[in-house]
Structure formats: structure tokens, C-alpha cells
Amino acid sequence: MKKILALILLIASLLTCISCGGGDDTPAGMQLAHGSDDSGYYFYVPEEWTISNLGKISAAYASTVDSSSVSYTERQMPEGTVEEFFEESLLEFQNSKITPKVIVKNEKYTFGNAESAYKYVYDVEYSGHKFRVMQVFSKFEGRFGIFTFTALNENLSSGEVTQFDYYKEKITSVTENFKFVKKSGLTSEDVYEKDSDGYLLVSDKDIAGFSLYVPGGFTPDYASGIVSATANDGANITISKATATGVFVDKYWENREKELSAFVKNLTPIKGADGKELINVPATIGNITHAFSYEYTYEFNGETYHVYQVLGITTMFFDLFAKDGFVFTYTAKEGAYEAHLDEIKKVLSKVEF
């Protein structure tokens, strides 16, 4: 299981994603964060929040100044009880200076159309701030889901209630409208068309603004305004519309570095053979003429990750300002990074805008 604290920080750190809208079944005032018959569920979040899905975690956060967040993910059904599972998860805090204080424990809860669900609430302090976390563990047709809502247990938007309580009504709407469905049982190769190289077309150009082809070893996670696919070893490919537009191109990394450094450790640009950092290096992605690459590593939750990122700019002002663009990100654990590089180069060449 991913560490609970890691999940809290992870959701707040995903700052290059774009929101995606829902269909006709989307509840009023909400948007679809992730949903398909293939994944087996539909997860709706407040329409003004920012979607920040990553791999198998569907998530959204309130804003860049308010890290209140919700997420949903599934994992293998635990062998013991839900209470035993929760108690085991708390042991992960033992090696940190964080001591969770459990407020609500094993309380029956209505989570969409789940067969059963139990709520837990606990408080933690991190970086001088107090947070409150609500987790709901649900079961549906042999599947085990984990919903997490995290917010400051301090006053922010209102002087009357904490940020956690401020969102009480919205979170109730999120959990009530969650919908489980029977998984379609289809494989990626059943659903997605292939090109001549056997790469799968996993995006809808009319929705995402681009066509993304990924190798068969990568499983699509979701495809809407942001498209993501993950390999068995956890390596991930993501393309989303850039949020850091309207800035000087050479300032993009400066902004990105500042955002990431708030949540990860030892953010370090990779250096080339000439000793120069591989930052703002001219690159190519599909048919975009203005593109710049960034290669760096960072530590998160005890693991070292290696990232190759390309900012492709579709609209420029005087070759200085990035107005519209897309961010391609390849992320893998350091030990698995080299294994996919040839495929990543091919993926980049196949992108169509």
C-alpha cells in the first residue's frame, strides 16, 4: 500500500494537469474526474476543482493555494478485516515524526452504491500545519477501494469553520455520487486501435487536442483532457495541456522547480556530457516546432524517480511567451528509467497535434 502521507502530498503536487468535463450523467455542479466501464467506476468531483489523476490514482484538488484534495484508488482485497487493514496502514507513520490521532474509527458509511463501506478520520501535523484526513474503505464485487479526503484542520476560507468542515457538503456530494459498475473485462488491445508498429491509440484528439500512441506494454489509465498510461513496472507516460502558459519560455523550469520542490526532496537536473544541465534543451514532440526538454531526478517517499519532460508549444508570441502548449512527462523509478527510453522516443515521434 502506498503510504497515506505520500498520497496526501502527491495529490497536492500535481500541478500540470487540466480539468476534464463530464457527460450527460454528470451531477449538477460536478465534473468527471475519472470513469469508464473498463475501470469499473465513475468518480465525480466539484466542477471548479483541478483534476490531478496519476496512474491508478484518480484525484482532484481545490486550487494551487488550497491543497484540499480527494482521491480514489483500488488495490487487492486485504486478507483481514478493514479495521486490521487501517491499523496496519498507520504503522507506516512509525518511521516519521508524524503521529496520527484517530478521531473516527470503523464507522459504517454510505459510499455510492458500494456493497459495504467504513469511514475513518484522523488528524496529523506536517510542516507546521494541522491536517484532517477522512478515508473510506469500500467493497464492491470482490474489489477494494480507498477514498481519501484531506484538508487543513485550520481556518482558511472561513473564520467560522476549519477547511475540512468548509467542504463537508461538497465531499458528501462526491461520496454519494460515486458509482461502481461491473468491469467490462476488455483488454487494451480489445478497446484501442493499433498503428502499423502495434502501438495503441489511447486518446481522442477531439477531446484531448492530440493523438497519443503507446506501446503494448503500457496500460491506459484514463483518456480525457489528460491522457496517461502505465507499464507493469510503474513507469508512466502522461500528456496534458500546460497550465504554466503566458510566461517566458526560459522561466518555465524555474516555475516548475519551485512547485515541485515544495513536495519532493533532492530535485536535481541531469547533466549532459558537457557538464551542462539538461534543462530548456531544444527538443521535438510530434509535429510541434517549438519544444523544450527537461531531465531531472527527485526523491519521493523513499524512492528516486527519473523524469524526462517535454514542453511543446503550439502558440508563441514573438518566440518569447508560451501561450498554448502541452506537457509530455515520462516518469520511472531510477532503476527502470533506461528500459523504456527507446519506446519513449518512438512515442514522442508519433504524437499528433
Side-chain angles (χ1 to χ4, degrees):
M1 174 184 173
K2 292 182 181 293
K3 294 185 179 180
I4 297 174
L5 178 60
L7 188 58
I8 298 171
L9 300 179
L10 178 63
I11 295 166
S13 70
L14 306 175
L15 302 177
T16 60
C17 301
I18 184 171
S19 299
C20 55
D24 294 337
D25 295 332
T26 303
M30 306 188 81
Q31 61 179 321
L32 182 65
H34 177 69
S36 69
D37 291 351
D38 190 32
S39 60
Y41 66 86
Y42 289 80
F43 180 38
Y44 301 96
V45 299
E47 61 182 355
E48 71 277 13
W49 286 31
T50 299
I51 306 300
S52 56
N53 299 328
L54 180 68
K56 299 299 183 182
I57 301 173
S58 302
Y61 63 91
S63 72
T64 56
V65 295
D66 178 1
S67 61
S68 299
S69 62
V70 292
S71 70
Y72 177 80
T73 189
E74 293 187 354
R75 57 145 290 161
Q76 184 176 355
M77 184 73 69
E79 294 182 359
T81 65
V82 170
E83 187 170 3
E84 289 171 339
F85 176 83
F86 176 74
E87 293 293 342
E88 182 180 345
S89 72
L90 292 185
L91 296 178
E92 296 169 350
F93 287 104
Q94 286 186 339
N95 295 325
S96 70
K97 297 180 180 180
I98 300 171
T99 303
K101 179 181 179 182
V102 179
I103 307 300
V104 177
K105 187 175 182 180
N106 211 41
E107 181 180 287
K108 285 189 176 181
Y109 190 78
T110 300
F111 186 71
N113 59 332
E115 295 167 355
S116 65
Y118 292 88
K119 181 176 78 171
Y120 292 77
V121 179
Y122 60 90
D123 292 338
V124 293
E125 290 191 25
Y126 182 78
S127 292
H129 290 284
K130 297 178 180 179
F131 292 88
R132 178 159 289 184
V133 182
M134 180 180 88
Q135 290 197 300
V136 179
F137 303 100
S138 58
K139 295 181 180 181
F140 180 82
E141 295 188 348
R143 291 151 50 193
F144 184 70
I146 304 173
F147 169 82
T148 304
F149 165 52
T150 305
L152 280 170
N153 197 27
E154 302 171 359
N155 296 50
L156 183 64
S157 298
S158 168
E160 303 297 325
V161 296
T162 66
Q163 202 66 358
F164 184 91
D165 291 332
Y166 178 78
Y167 286 117
K168 183 177 180 179
E169 186 175 336
K170 287 185 180 293
I171 299 307
T172 298
S173 182
V174 169
T175 57
E176 286 182 347
N177 285 289
F178 191 96
K179 183 171 68 173
F180 288 101
V181 296
K182 185 181 292 293
K183 287 190 175 183
S184 65
L186 299 176
T187 66
S188 297
E189 297 196 3
D190 295 324
V191 177
Y192 301 99
E193 67 177 75
K194 293 182 181 179
D195 69 2
S196 59
D197 294 320
Y199 278 48
L200 306 176
L201 175 60
V202 297
S203 66
D204 184 333
K205 192 172 183 179
D206 291 336
I207 296 175
F210 56 85
S211 297
L212 175 66
Y213 293 84
V214 301
F218 280 75
T219 301
D221 302 310
Y222 42 83
S224 52
I226 176 175
V227 182
S228 172
T230 303
N232 290 334
D233 60 9
N236 177 261
I237 297 170
T238 301
I239 301 187
S240 65
K241 192 168 185 179
T243 57
T245 54
V247 299
F248 284 106
V249 171
D250 60 0
K251 292 293 184 182
Y252 176 80
W253 171 250
E254 184 178 316
N255 293 343
R256 178 68 177 167
E257 185 178 28
K258 186 181 298 182
E259 292 167 352
L260 281 174
S261 295
F263 306 102
V264 303
K265 296 179 180 179
N266 298 324
L267 180 63
T268 307
I270 298 297
K271 293 184 178 180
D274 58 1
K276 293 182 179 180
E277 295 181 346
L278 299 179
I279 299 299
N280 285 329
V281 177
T284 58
I285 175 172
N287 57 344
I288 289 182
T289 56
H290 293 281
F292 304 86
S293 68
Y294 311 83
E295 187 175 349
Y296 53 93
T297 59
Y298 62 79
E299 292 180 18
F300 182 79
N301 203 25
E303 293 277 4
T304 298
Y305 292 87
H306 198 139
V307 179
Y308 181 72
Q309 197 162 45
V310 178
L311 170 63
I313 303 165
T314 54
T315 305
M316 295 279 289
F317 283 152
F318 304 108
D319 289 333
L320 293 175
F321 291 98
K323 182 178 183 293
D324 297 305
F326 294 85
V327 178
F328 171 93
T329 306
Y330 163 55
T331 305
K333 290 182 180 180
E334 185 66 271
Y337 180 82
E338 296 284 344
H340 300 286
L341 278 183
D342 288 342
E343 291 177 325
I344 296 305
K345 292 177 182 178
K346 208 162 188 177
V347 169
L348 281 166
S349 70
K350 289 175 177 287
V351 178
E352 299 173 0
F353 295 94

